[in-house]
Amino acid sequence: MAKLLTASEYAALAEKLKLPTQAFVDGAFVRSVSGKTFQTTNPATGEVLTEISACDARDVDIAVAKAKAAFEDGRWHRRSPGERKAVLLRFADLLEAHAHELAVMESLDSGKPIRECQNTDVPETIHTVRWHAELIDKIYDSTAPVGSNALSLVVREPIGVVGLVLPWNFPLLMLAWKIGPSLAAGCSIVVKPAKETTLTALRVAELAYEAGVPAGVFNVLPGGGKEVGEPLGMHMDVSMVSFTGSTATGRLFLKYAAESNLKRIVLECGGKNPAVVMKDIEDIDVVAQHVVNGAFWNMGENCSASSRLIVHADIKDELLTRIGVHMREWKMGNPLDPEFRIGSLVSEAHFEKVRSYIEQAADENLSVAFGGSTQAGNFVEPTVVDGVGKDSRLFKEEIFGPILSVTTFDSTEEAIALANDSVYGLAASVYTSNLNSAIRLSREIRAGVVTVNCFGEGDITTPFGGYKESGFGGRDKSIWAHDQYTEMKAIWIDVPA
């Protein structure tokens, strides 16, 4: 992990950054076919950072053709597992050598606090690439028990050209979650970063090429969803799309697959995640720390954020008191100053959306226990809204901002019902000192990830994805992520007696 610098040192780095401005296709930066550009801005200041090439369907056709050519001639996937592993390990080393640069670029582009970029996003990105690289020569295929007159092999083969469509909340880390297993499997990739946060994906592609990933294997197309995402989803030479983002957009990729070549679709979509706190907890202060972290980490711009606190009525007041104490540690301010844990939201449009939920709380006459204010520069203060009923928008809708709703229950059955009262099922947290309650709640809450007595998503070894409208078709992270970037083939060899 790179050492945290001072605010002045990060500011100096920001002044010296050379920002990428063009698409990355076939091993080089190139202008878009149209020559059009779009501005990317620092959401905390409104400052225009640079102009970036705006790609469209013509650029998608070119990038996919280059990726397909790279796949078909085998310049990447036909290398030995050891050779591909060595390249990806060099790639991880280059990411580490540029850790400060990537952290500052990410913070400027997204409004994320530099302390999170430096301490979490960048090191986890590097670890993810290394972990999947090391897995390349450790995944075994198998044989089937067919008797002595035949030999049956069950093998995995890379699926082909893959579209990777990224969200804006964790630009680097979500990129790593997808390029790690897809490149390890031997695929060629076309990455569409979120339009709001394009910079680091372009720089990472350049570093991958420098490390030895061949031209055409790793391509990045900046631009909008209609201009790049849809053509990628509809392209007949794209064998798979892995998408992280909103459920509404995820549905579109299923439609694109149905209307094109039935390409494989893997979706990691929205969440409205419960933190269920039973009255038997032993250390309410520790629970409060986890709840605050789960709700406000990354400004709540996190699909697995603990946005619904479902707490036993008998301990609600005490827990809220302790939550208020720990919220004092979450100072809001300049994202490039490591003193602050709350940065700006990613854009003015998203800021207005999140602010509307604070106004909704007032319209519903709900009690704002903490926070509730906003500041210029797309800053929303961490906010706790008490007395939220299950019919409230604050209970039902994904806010994707630093707002925690509080709902009480009186029985375990009611807690489970409230936790499952959502179209989503991505993540959940359970806090209890009773083993039976921990097992029952973790099994009966319908979510892809359930943590007990902590907030989190597991680590790189555990699969991540959701139930219901939170996910479809596969999982990010872990050994299971590799399977979705491969096709399974059965080979039958007749062995005459």
Side-chain angles (χ1 to χ4, degrees):
M1 182 185 297
K3 178 185 175 183
L4 273 175
L5 306 179
T6 65
S8 60
E9 287 173 322
Y10 282 121
L13 275 175
E15 287 292 325
K16 297 176 183 177
L17 276 184
K18 183 180 178 182
L19 301 178
T21 62
Q22 297 179 326
F24 192 84
V25 178
D26 201 29
F29 285 113
V30 295
R31 296 178 62 197
S32 60
V33 173
S34 69
K36 293 180 180 179
T37 63
F38 64 90
Q39 292 181 341
T40 188
T41 62
N42 179 343
T45 65
E47 173 194 1
V48 175
L49 296 171
T50 191
E51 299 266 349
I52 297 178
S53 292
C55 296
D56 60 25
R58 291 168 292 179
D59 301 283
V60 173
D61 285 341
I62 293 169
V64 171
K66 296 296 185 182
K68 182 180 179 182
F71 186 78
E72 290 187 342
D73 69 23
R75 69 187 73 165
W76 179 241
H77 75 84
R78 287 191 184 132
R79 291 191 184 184
S80 72
E83 288 177 313
R84 281 187 283 119
K85 181 175 81 168
V87 170
L88 292 186
L89 290 176
R90 284 199 299 271
F91 174 35
D93 289 344
L94 280 175
L95 293 173
E96 189 164 37
H98 292 271
H100 287 309
E101 172 195 350
L102 291 169
V104 172
M105 198 178 289
E106 188 94 321
S107 180
L108 289 173
D109 208 17
S110 67
K112 293 166 67 76
I114 190 68
R115 60 183 289 159
E116 296 295 343
C117 296
Q118 191 81 73
N119 287 340
T120 302
D121 294 39
V122 173
E124 283 298 312
T125 294
I126 297 164
H127 177 57
T128 297
V129 172
R130 284 197 175 121
W131 193 86
H132 285 292
E134 288 289 356
L135 208 58
I136 291 175
D137 56 5
K138 299 173 183 66
I139 298 179
Y140 287 77
D141 289 328
S142 53
T143 62
V146 296
S148 59
N149 292 329
L151 175 64
S152 180
L153 308 176
V154 182
V155 299
R156 297 178 184 88
E157 297 179 349
I159 198 168
V161 177
V162 173
L164 304 177
V165 183
L166 307 179
W168 46 253
N169 59 331
F170 289 96
L172 268 173
L173 191 50
M174 295 302 97
L175 175 67
W177 281 14
K178 297 184 189 300
I179 65 174
S182 59
L183 290 176
C187 299
S188 294
I189 61 176
V190 179
V191 178
K192 185 221 166 295
K195 194 173 181 180
E196 296 87 344
T197 52
T198 299
L199 296 175
T200 49
L202 292 168
R203 182 65 174 125
V204 166
E206 183 182 25
L207 292 173
Y209 180 68
E210 183 180 337
V213 174
V217 172
F218 190 156
N219 309 278
V220 180
L221 298 180
K226 188 71 176 174
E227 295 78 14
V228 178
E230 181 176 341
L232 201 56
M234 290 290 294
H235 207 288
M236 297 298 289
D237 289 328
V238 173
S239 299
M240 174 195 169
V241 169
S242 178
F243 167 80
T244 296
S246 72
T247 299
T249 303
R251 293 180 192 276
L252 292 177
F253 280 100
L254 295 176
K255 177 184 174 185
Y256 301 152
E259 293 177 354
S260 58
N261 59 345
L262 292 180
K263 59 177 59 66
R264 185 180 301 171
I265 301 292
V266 175
L267 306 177
E268 193 271 285
C269 298
K272 189 65 178 174
N273 312 292
V276 178
V277 184
M278 307 299 285
K279 70 176 181 179
D280 58 26
I281 54 173
E282 293 177 355
D283 193 332
I284 200 166
D285 191 64
V286 170
V287 173
Q289 281 183 286
H290 283 297
V291 170
V292 168
N293 186 45
F296 304 128
W297 175 51
N298 203 54
M299 294 76 69
E301 294 175 329
N302 178 13
C303 53
S304 62
S306 299
S307 59
R308 292 186 294 152
L309 175 58
I310 299 172
V311 56
H312 196 283
D314 290 355
I315 61 168
K316 184 203 72 171
D317 290 343
E318 184 182 1
L319 180 58
L320 285 185
T321 297
R322 299 309 306 165
I323 283 173
V325 170
H326 288 290
M327 286 178 65
R328 297 172 193 161
E329 303 165 12
W330 290 72
K331 296 179 181 179
M332 181 172 71
N334 176 14
L336 278 184
D337 187 337
E339 175 186 356
F340 298 109
R341 300 178 75 173
I342 298 290
S344 72
L345 299 188
V346 73
S347 66
E348 184 176 353
H350 187 60
F351 167 79
E352 292 297 338
K353 176 198 169 187
V354 173
R355 184 168 66 174
S356 74
Y357 286 94
I358 297 175
E359 296 168 352
Q360 180 69 29
D363 291 343
E364 294 182 20
N365 295 315
L366 299 174
S367 171
V368 177
F370 306 103
S373 69
T374 61
Q375 295 179 14
N378 303 317
F379 289 90
V380 175
E381 185 182 20
T383 299
V384 177
V385 182
D386 193 11
V388 178
K390 66 179 183 178
D391 294 324
S392 170
R393 284 180 58 208
L394 279 79
F395 185 90
K396 290 183 173 296
E397 297 177 9
E398 184 180 36
I399 299 172
F400 225 62
I403 299 176
L404 174 66
S405 68
V406 182
T407 306
T408 59
F409 67 88
D410 293 307
S411 68
T412 300
E413 290 73 20
E414 185 183 6
I416 293 169
L418 286 167
N420 287 332
D421 188 7
S422 175
V423 298
Y424 300 110
L426 184 56
S429 299
V430 172
Y431 299 91
T432 177
S433 297
N434 182 287
L435 179 60
N436 289 335
S437 291
I439 294 172
R440 181 183 177 190
L441 288 161
S442 60
R443 284 183 171 173
E444 293 196 26
I445 293 175
R446 294 189 55 75
V449 178
V450 180
T451 58
V452 178
N453 294 331
C454 63
F455 165 76
E457 299 170 353
D459 64 14
I460 189 61
T461 68
T462 57
F464 182 80
Y467 290 20
K468 298 187 279 187
E469 293 184 20
S470 287
F472 178 90
R475 293 290 189 266
D476 287 317
K477 298 197 305 169
S478 79
I479 193 171
W480 285 276
H482 282 244
D483 287 346
Q484 62 201 20
Y485 295 101
T486 62
E487 292 282 17
M488 181 181 292
K489 176 179 285 186
I491 300 175
W492 184 280
I493 303 170
D494 193 40
V495 181

